[in-house]
């Protein structure tokens, strides 16, 4: 066999290899995305005793449809992620519950939504949403993306200032939230005085910066437990700082892919002086 013929066969084999490689990658990508048709989400409201608006209830029905679609594609691992903390008095409590997404919503097309009265309990109104949802399998967390928060105490007296240092393992961005209770949440950083700035890998950054973080009790009890949440992300992900809904904050965190975020939770106890 001549050298020219061998070279020609080699070129053909090389071209076929690249064609198959591109095709297999495209096929694998398509395999990662599945369409779940006519998935139904629901949210039940007792209208006479609820302070939830119709718009909020409709959005929760949509969220239920999204969750069910992800569960169908990714299995039962899509659960509430609960972290237990222990206060200085030995009290154990759930510090936060955040959906740890094992899948991502690619598209969400509503086919039908509305309300109906419960046949079993006439006082209940059921908000429902039927949608076609395209779901992409999620990714695992990046083991090289971690961060440290140092300097926080477990107990503060009302009126004291928070002071701490953060240090990430990669260049990233940071949002800091404070959860007062199961419903209220606030973004502490960035704020009107501290604009968002990229954190550099292995370079400690001290807080507070321009604005002090003062802890105050919001309940008449002698002690109160708040939760600080540090969300590190590889890219800047804006969040409306005027939002005071813990649910909205948790939804924002949940929709960030696992390999793009690193979250640290810290419970602090606030006491009267």
């Amino acid at each position: 066999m001549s050298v020219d013929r061998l070279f020609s066969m080699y070129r053909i084999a090389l071209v076929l290899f690249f064609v198959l490689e591109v095709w297999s990658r495209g096929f694998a990508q398509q395999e990662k995305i599945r369409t779940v048709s006519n998935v139904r989400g629901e949210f039940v409201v007792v209208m006479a005793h609820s302070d939830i608006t119709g718009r909020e209830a409709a959005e929760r029905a949509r969220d239920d449809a999204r969750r069910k679609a992800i569960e169908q594609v990714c299995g039962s691992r899509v659960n509430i992620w609960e972290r237990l903390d222990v206060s200085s008095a030995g009290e154990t409590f759930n510090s936060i519950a955040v959906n740890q997404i094992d899948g991502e919503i690619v598209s969400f097309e509503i086919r039908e939504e509305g309300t109906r009265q419960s046949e079993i309990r006439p006082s209940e109104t059921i908000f429902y949403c039927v949608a076609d949802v395209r779901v992409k399998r999620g990714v695992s967390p990046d083991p090289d993306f971690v961060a440290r928060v140092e300097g926080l105490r477990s107990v503060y007296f009302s009126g004291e200032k928070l002071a701490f240092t953060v240090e990430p393992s990669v260049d990233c961005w940071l949002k800091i939230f404070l959860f007062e209770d199961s419903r209220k949440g606030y973004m502490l950083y960035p704020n009107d005085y501290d604009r968002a700035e990229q954190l550099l890998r292995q370079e400690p950054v001290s807080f507070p910066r321009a604005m002090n973080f003062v802890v105050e009790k919001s309940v008449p009890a002698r002690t109160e437990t708040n939760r600080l949440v540090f969300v590190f992300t590889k890219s800047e992900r804006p969040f409306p700082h005027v939002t005071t809904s813990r649910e909205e904050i948790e939804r924002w965190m949940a929709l960030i892919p696992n390999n793009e975020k690193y979250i640290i939770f810290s419970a602090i106890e606030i006491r009267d002086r």
Side-chain angles (χ1 to χ4, degrees):
M1 187 179 293
S2 67
V3 174
D4 289 342
R5 187 173 181 182
L6 281 172
F7 184 69
S8 177
M9 292 177 65
Y10 171 76
R11 285 194 303 175
I12 293 172
L14 191 62
V15 169
L16 285 173
F17 171 79
F18 281 114
V19 169
L20 287 172
E21 179 71 10
V22 171
W23 178 83
S24 63
R25 287 184 181 180
F27 180 76
Q29 184 68 19
Q30 289 298 320
E31 282 290 294
K32 290 181 181 178
I33 299 176
R34 280 184 50 193
T35 299
V36 183
S37 300
N38 294 318
V39 62
R40 184 184 184 91
E42 293 186 347
F43 184 76
V44 179
V45 176
V46 181
M47 299 303 291
H49 302 92
S50 177
D51 57 357
I52 295 176
T53 66
R55 183 176 180 180
E56 291 172 335
E59 187 58 39
R60 293 192 187 187
R62 294 171 194 159
D63 286 343
D64 188 49
R66 293 184 182 99
R67 177 184 60 79
K68 288 176 178 176
I70 293 176
E71 284 185 346
Q72 286 191 40
V73 174
C74 304
S76 60
R77 287 189 59 193
V78 184
N79 294 318
I80 297 299
W81 178 22
E82 295 184 351
R83 174 190 169 99
L84 296 180
D85 285 299
V86 180
S87 71
S88 59
E91 176 192 6
T92 301
F93 50 84
N94 292 330
S95 66
I96 189 173
V98 177
N99 281 323
Q100 192 72 356
I101 295 298
D102 286 334
E104 301 172 39
I105 301 296
V106 177
S107 65
F108 186 81
E109 182 180 348
I110 297 174
R111 299 179 65 89
E112 178 187 354
E113 63 180 347
T115 63
R116 66 179 179 84
Q117 296 302 123
S118 171
E119 297 175 357
I120 301 174
R121 299 182 180 86
S123 62
E124 293 181 350
T125 299
I126 300 173
F127 287 75
Y128 68 89
C129 173
V130 180
D132 294 337
V133 188
R134 297 180 69 216
V135 178
K136 178 181 178 182
R137 285 189 176 274
V139 294
S140 300
D142 181 352
D144 296 322
F145 184 19
V146 295
R148 294 189 301 174
V149 177
E150 297 181 339
L152 282 174
R153 308 199 313 263
S154 59
V155 177
Y156 289 85
F157 290 102
S158 186
E160 285 192 297
K161 299 175 183 178
L162 295 174
F164 49 87
T165 300
V166 303
E167 182 179 344
S169 64
V170 302
D171 294 352
C172 62
W173 300 79
L174 173 65
K175 302 288 185 297
I176 304 174
F177 299 95
L178 175 73
F179 289 170
E180 282 188 352
D181 52 36
S182 62
R183 300 187 65 179
K184 289 184 180 179
Y186 307 91
M187 185 166 70
L188 298 182
Y189 172 84
N191 50 63
D192 290 337
Y193 301 94
D194 297 302
R195 64 183 181 88
E197 294 181 358
Q198 188 177 36
L199 307 183
L200 303 180
R201 63 184 297 270
Q202 297 180 344
E203 288 194 12
V205 178
S206 297
F207 290 85
R209 302 181 73 75
M211 189 179 84
N212 288 323
F213 302 146
V214 181
V215 295
E216 298 284 356
K217 284 174 66 271
S218 60
V219 296
R222 188 177 65 87
T223 64
E224 174 184 338
T225 299
N226 286 185
R227 285 80 170 170
L228 285 168
V229 186
F230 299 81
V231 184
F232 299 85
T233 56
K234 291 182 179 178
S235 58
E236 165 63 337
R237 294 177 177 269
F239 184 87
H241 71 277
V242 296
T243 297
T244 59
S245 165
R246 172 170 170 169
E247 182 182 0
E248 289 295 323
I249 297 170
E250 290 179 353
R251 184 183 298 130
W252 175 81
M253 289 192 290
L255 293 176
I256 303 173
N258 292 336
N259 66 334
E260 291 287 323
K261 66 186 174 187
Y262 185 78
I263 303 176
I264 295 176
F265 312 95
S266 183
I268 61 172
E269 190 175 292
I270 306 172
R271 299 177 179 176
D272 287 328
R273 288 186 178 274

